[in-house]
Structures are given as structure tokens and as C-alpha cells.
Amino acid sequence: MEKTKKSVFENPVLSTKVKSANVKPVEALIGYLVGPFCGMLANCVFGSYLVEYFRKVLFAEEIAAGNAGIETFLLIFPILSAILIVAGNLVAGQIIERTRTRAGKARPYILLSSVLVAVASVLMFIQPVDNTVFKAIWLVIAYNLFYAVAFPLYNTANSALVPVSTRNGNQRNVLASFVNMALLGGAGAGSIVFPMIMLIFANAMPGAYNELGEPILPTSNGYLILFIIIGVITFLGCVAQYYFTRERVTEESFKAEDTEGAAKQEEAKKGPTIGQQAKALFSDKFFVIVIIFYFLYQMAGGIKNASMQSYTNSVPFEGFTPQAAMSVLGIIGAVPMAVAIVFVAPLCNKFGKRPVVLIGMAVGCLGGVLAGIFYDNFIVAAIGIAVKCLGSAPAGYMILAMISDCLDHGEAKNGFRCDGLAMSIYSSIMIASVPIATGIVSGLMGAFGDVNGSVTSYIWIETVAYGLAAVVLFFYGVEKFLKKDKQTILDRQKAEAEAAGIEWIAPEERLRREEEEFNRQTEENRVAELKAYCEKKGLSFEEEEAKYQAKLAAKNAKKKKKPEPPADPPADTPEE
């Protein structure tokens, strides 16, 4: 009999550390908060600093000399790069969709990205030759290596993890909140922490002056050192994310009792073509609605982030240096978002995602109007920005959960999932928003001047987008179908298994059995290790085992005294 070639992910060394049937705190915190924060950190920082780095460091001499060609280059090349970025995301999505390993279809690329993203984020700041044409060519290559290759692979895989992590809607809401909190945390780090860090590593921020009142120019070497450190953080975070995540939905296709015949049947099964996926997604009005909503939200946010430093540098605020103003606005924007994490998921679980997100968009729009009218009054503008950020929190935290609901709905209708293409589209919008925003902000600054261009970019574009997004979201109503969709999917899985002569076990039951088996094996290993230890040290196994059991009983008794956390709702609870 011909042996099936084993995947590298069959190796126990690469096995997930998550063995529980339900999502536990350690998985949520490391796999969906700390890991994504590290993985997306470079991209978040790029969004705040690339415009200034290009203009004030990389091509500072050329711009000071009035080189119109460089001005045109900085306007056009990021926008044209968006074509490659979208293509890169589509390819990444299809690679993920057609991957089948015991580690899942998305997690293997989290591990691969740990190296790719770290290396690509550093290459942007290497300048081997001080020549204008060479610098431009090097920048285009390094820029697209990061944005069109490395980051699309990571971000598409990272985004796909939420839909395939679990079918429990409430648990998925929490994971979606954590992933987007990681993204917002990275953006906050770029606007709050990094202005001060740049003073150390890059010698100066644009707008910094020495004791003689002379401007201090930042250095490219400082940026390089800083992003080497960020690269190390990225690597460690992605590796941790790989080990502390699990694709429970993907695992359903492997069945609990995976015989050789079943495995061959699964290997022979071809996934849907990209045309079939596109037809399934874009014939679903709910998916179209949520993608339009996300495009408005993300593109406007990218423009705001790209113009933040320009806004604080251009608008004079009494009593605040540009660096201080940027840090304060970053804190003011981050605090409401951090506070919102406590109540957004519970509110969405109780009332549904649509009403909570829609009301948030309306509140954000009002805050933006206040900030835009009083853009040169730092206190009033800051209050308006804080309100705008608070209103945007439900959308920021729930967007992946909203897309996940659409994917479940599509699976129920079509009989197959479209995670790869859907996350490619999501990731394309997210990643392409940075270079497109970079070009738009550069264009607005050149067309309307530093003050008007930065105010329009930083405040008004996002405010208008929030109003439009609220109107679009009014027609999003997929949540009322989710309970029925889940039953349809389970009935189909059962029918397919019975037709193939395979015993069908409900996913929840299979996960419960796996967790019990893992706990049994863990206990057997503990007993064997203790016996070996006692033999080596000449101790009584019975006495040492009695000590362990006494400690365990005391620990369990202590746990019982604490109030029990609310139980997770049944997986088939409808999200009204």
C-alpha cells in the first residue's frame, strides 16, 4: 500500500497548544490580541510615519531642491502599488483556501509570515546607495515586497482565523474584538509611544528643534534600528500566535474518526474555483453591504492616520509642540477605544451587531463635525476626536465578526465556505488603504496647502465616511438567519458523512472527546513522570501522589469559592 506523504505539520513540535473545545482566555489573549498586535505593528507604524519619512528623510534633499519629479513619484507610486497589493491579497487568499494541513489552512501562513513580515519591514529603511534614482527603485521594490507579498499573506491568514476559530457566535464576537483591538493598539502605539521613541532612535521627529532653535533632521539609520527591533517583536508575536490558536471550523472537515478512505476522499475533493467563490460572495447582499461599509470605514481611517502628523505639524496649537499634540491626540483617541472593549461585545451579544455599530457611526459623525468646526482649538478639537473614536469602536471591534456571520450564511446557502477570497478582499482593503491614503494625503497637502489639506484629511473625510457607512449598515440583516444557517450546515455535514459511510459526530461532541482524550493523556504522562522521579530519588510514589492530590483538592476547593463566570451560551443560540 502506498504511504501518504506526511505534512510537516504532523510533527508534534508544531502542534497547537490549544486543546480545549471552547475558546479560553489564554487563546484569546495570546492568539488574538498579543500575536496580532505584534504581527500588525509595522504596518500600523507605517501608516503614521511613511509620508513624513519619504518627505523629510528619504527624499528630503530632493524636495528641498524643488525636484518636481520626486513630488510626482511620491503621489503616484503608492497609488499604483495598490494594484499589486490587491493582486497579492487575492493570491494569498487562494493559497490559504487551497491549503489543507492538520494545523489548518490559515495558521501555517502565520508561522511563515513571522519571518517574511519581519524582514520586509526592515528593507524599507535600508539605503545601500545615496542616489535619487536608486533610492526610488529600491523603495518601490521594498515597499511592494512588504505590502504586496509579506503583509497580505500575514493579514489574510490573521483575518481568516476568526471565522474558522469557532462557530460559537458570542465567542467569535470576543475574538473579533481582540483582533481589532490589536490593530487599534498598533495604531495607538504609532501615534502615542513612537513620537517619543523616534526622538531616541531617529534623533528627531520632523518639527523637533535643538536648544538654539534649529531644526533637527531625523536620520535613516535611526529608522533602520527602530524597525529591526520591530522586526524581532513581529517574529516572536507571530510564532506565539501560531501556537495559541486553533481552527475548529476547519477541523470539522477531518472528522473525528479519520480513516484512510475518508482522508483520501477529502484530498480528492476540490475546493470551489475563484469564480465560484466570487459569485457566491457577491450574490449575497449582506456580504456586499458589509464590504462597502468596511471600505468606507477603513479607507477614511487610513487617510486620517496618514495625515495625523501633518495635522499636528501644520496647525499651531498654543502650549503644545507638534510632538506633544500628536501624542495627546493619540491618547485621546486610544482611551475611548480601550474603554469600549469592555462593553461593545456584551452589547452586541444582547442587542445585535447592526444597531450597536450603526448608533456608534452616528455618534462618531457628530464628534467629527465638532472637531472639524473647531479644528484650531486644541481642547474642543480633542473632545470631538475622542467622541468620534468612541463612536467608531463598535465598527472597529465587530467588523470581522460581521464578515464571519456572512461567511456562515454563505456556507449554508452554497455548501462551501469562501474564507480565502473574503479575507483577501478584507485584507486588500485594509492594506491598500495605507498606500492609497499616503498618495491622497500628499495630493491634498500639495493642492490645498498644509493647513487646509491636513484638516480635510485628518477630520472631514472620516466624518463624511461615517455618515455614509451608517446609511449602508441600515440594510445589514444577516444576524436573524444565523440559527437556521447553523442547523443547515450541520444537516449537510451529517448527510455527506452518512453517504460516504463515515460515522458522523457533531462538532461540539468531537471537540469534547478530543479535550477529554488530551486530558487523559496528560494525566498518564504526569503519573509516569512522577513514578520515574520517585524511582530516581528513592521516594515513595504513593506518598508523593497523595501530596499532589491534596494540593489539587485544595486548589479546586479554592476555585469553588470564587463566583463562577457566566457560562458560554449554547453554540446554536441565535444572535438577535
Side-chain angles (χ1 to χ4, degrees):
M1 183 182 295
E2 184 179 350
K3 293 185 178 179
T4 303
K5 185 178 180 180
K6 286 190 175 183
S7 164
V8 66
F9 294 101
E10 300 282 348
N11 192 319
V13 174
L14 295 178
S15 296
T16 178
K17 303 300 180 184
V18 176
K19 304 299 181 182
S20 58
N22 288 299
V23 177
K24 297 295 177 67
V26 67
E27 179 182 0
L29 289 172
I30 298 179
Y32 295 88
L33 182 60
V34 176
F37 173 84
C38 297
M40 293 187 286
L41 183 59
N43 181 66
C44 292
V45 176
F46 285 166
S48 296
Y49 291 100
L50 281 187
V51 172
E52 292 294 303
Y53 171 73
F54 293 163
R55 300 181 67 86
K56 303 294 176 65
V57 180
L58 187 59
F59 296 109
E61 294 181 2
E62 290 84 352
I63 291 176
N67 189 326
I70 287 297
E71 290 280 10
T72 304
F73 169 75
L74 292 178
L75 169 64
I76 294 176
F77 111 81
I79 297 177
L80 292 180
S81 295
I83 298 173
L84 293 176
I85 291 169
V86 171
N89 278 276
L90 292 175
V91 171
Q94 292 312 297
I95 290 173
I96 290 170
E97 192 63 54
R98 283 162 172 71
T99 296
R100 287 188 56 80
T101 72
R102 287 295 175 182
K105 58 184 179 181
R107 291 178 59 245
Y109 299 103
I110 297 291
L111 190 61
L112 176 61
S113 299
S114 64
V115 176
L116 293 180
V117 175
V119 172
S121 64
V122 173
L123 291 179
M124 193 107 57
F125 302 95
I126 295 176
Q127 297 180 31
V129 179
D130 188 14
N131 173 273
T132 301
V133 175
F134 184 89
K135 287 192 296 183
I137 294 173
W138 181 275
L139 176 61
V140 170
I141 295 172
Y143 187 93
N144 284 286
L145 180 62
F146 179 86
Y147 278 113
V149 179
F151 195 67
L153 192 62
Y154 171 78
N155 194 56
T156 304
N158 175 58
S159 303
L161 279 179
V162 171
V164 299
S165 61
T166 176
R167 289 195 189 274
N168 186 307
N170 291 353
Q171 292 179 9
R172 199 159 60 189
N173 287 352
V174 173
L175 297 184
S177 296
F178 275 33
V179 169
N180 284 284
M181 185 178 182
L183 175 60
L184 296 167
S191 59
I192 299 170
V193 179
F194 278 85
M196 300 299 108
I197 295 178
M198 285 292 191
L199 290 173
I200 301 172
F201 287 98
N203 293 344
M205 288 286 293
Y209 298 90
N210 61 21
E211 63 275 6
L212 300 177
E214 300 169 337
I216 307 175
L217 298 178
T219 65
S220 58
N221 286 339
Y223 278 94
L224 177 60
I225 294 170
L226 177 61
F227 276 89
I228 289 175
I229 295 173
I230 290 178
V232 173
I233 294 172
T234 297
F235 173 78
L236 296 175
C238 289
V239 171
Q241 183 178 8
Y242 169 81
Y243 278 109
F244 287 92
T245 49
R246 183 178 182 182
E247 298 183 26
R248 296 172 180 83
V249 175
T250 306
E251 290 171 12
E252 291 175 9
S253 63
F254 287 107
K255 308 295 187 289
E257 298 172 7
D258 194 2
T259 63
E260 184 179 357
K264 287 183 177 179
Q265 179 188 13
E266 290 296 330
E267 290 172 3
K269 187 185 292 183
K270 293 183 179 181
T273 66
I274 189 169
Q276 291 172 324
Q277 294 175 59
K279 182 179 178 180
L281 288 175
F282 290 104
S283 64
D284 180 2
K285 66 177 182 180
F286 299 126
F287 179 79
V288 174
I289 287 169
V290 79
I291 284 299
I292 293 173
F293 170 84
Y294 181 63
F295 176 83
L296 291 168
Y297 175 85
Q298 185 65 29
M299 189 60 64
I303 293 172
K304 179 195 71 175
N305 292 337
S307 58
M308 184 180 188
Q309 191 176 21
S310 300
Y311 172 68
T312 56
N313 284 343
S314 303
V315 180
F317 296 119
E318 186 176 353
F320 292 91
T321 64
Q323 303 98 300
M326 186 174 178
S327 291
V328 171
L329 290 179
I331 294 171
I332 286 173
V335 169
M337 300 295 292
V339 172
I341 188 66
V342 176
F343 61 80
V344 167
L347 285 176
C348 289
N349 289 341
K350 184 173 183 179
F351 299 107
K353 289 181 274 293
R354 181 179 68 171
V356 175
V357 175
L358 195 154
I359 292 172
M361 288 286 96
V363 171
C365 191
L366 292 176
V369 170
L370 178 65
I373 293 173
F374 299 96
Y375 70 89
D376 56 351
N377 184 317
F378 188 78
I379 302 300
V380 179
I383 293 173
I385 289 166
V387 172
K388 181 156 66 76
C389 290
L390 179 64
S392 71
Y397 289 137
M398 287 294 111
I399 185 63
L400 273 175
M402 294 163 69
I403 295 175
S404 300
D405 290 345
C406 293
L407 292 174
D408 282 357
H409 185 57
E411 182 184 5
K413 289 196 305 179
N414 303 302
F416 56 84
R417 292 185 69 85
C418 302
D419 300 281
L421 182 58
M423 290 305 120
S424 291
I425 297 169
Y426 169 85
S427 185
S428 295
I429 294 172
M430 176 184 171
I431 301 174
S433 66
V434 175
I436 292 175
T438 300
I440 290 174
V441 172
S442 293
L444 289 173
M445 297 278 285
F448 299 110
D450 289 352
V451 175
N452 291 333
S454 63
V455 171
T456 300
S457 301
Y458 184 63
I459 299 175
W460 283 114
I461 289 179
E462 189 174 50
T463 301
V464 173
Y466 281 8
L468 294 174
V471 174
V472 169
L473 196 63
F474 185 79
F475 300 97
Y476 175 83
V478 72
E479 292 172 282
K480 63 184 178 182
F481 296 101
L482 295 183
K483 182 179 180 181
K484 181 180 178 181
D485 288 341
K486 181 182 178 182
Q487 190 59 50
T488 299
I489 293 168
L490 293 177
D491 290 344
R492 183 183 294 125
Q493 289 176 353
K494 184 176 181 180
E496 289 176 353
E498 290 175 349
I502 304 170
E503 179 186 2
W504 184 80
I505 302 174
E508 292 88 348
E509 173 63 16
R510 176 178 56 79
L511 290 170
R512 186 191 66 78
R513 292 184 186 182
E514 287 180 2
E515 186 172 2
E516 285 185 352
E517 176 63 16
F518 172 76
N519 291 336
R520 184 189 65 77
Q521 291 179 357
T522 301
E523 177 64 12
E524 286 183 357
N525 292 337
R526 184 197 66 79
V527 171
E529 290 173 0
L530 181 59
K531 285 181 178 179
Y533 175 79
C534 290
E535 289 180 7
K536 182 178 180 180
K537 298 294 183 180
L539 301 174
S540 168
F541 168 75
E542 289 74 14
E543 291 180 2
E544 296 301 317
E545 177 67 10
K547 292 178 183 179
Y548 171 82
Q549 294 296 338
K551 289 181 181 179
L552 183 62
K555 183 179 180 180
N556 290 335
K558 187 176 181 180
K559 283 184 178 179
K560 289 182 179 180
K561 292 181 181 179
K562 297 181 180 180
E564 290 290 330
D568 289 323
D572 59 352
T573 299
E575 295 178 35
E576 299 295 344

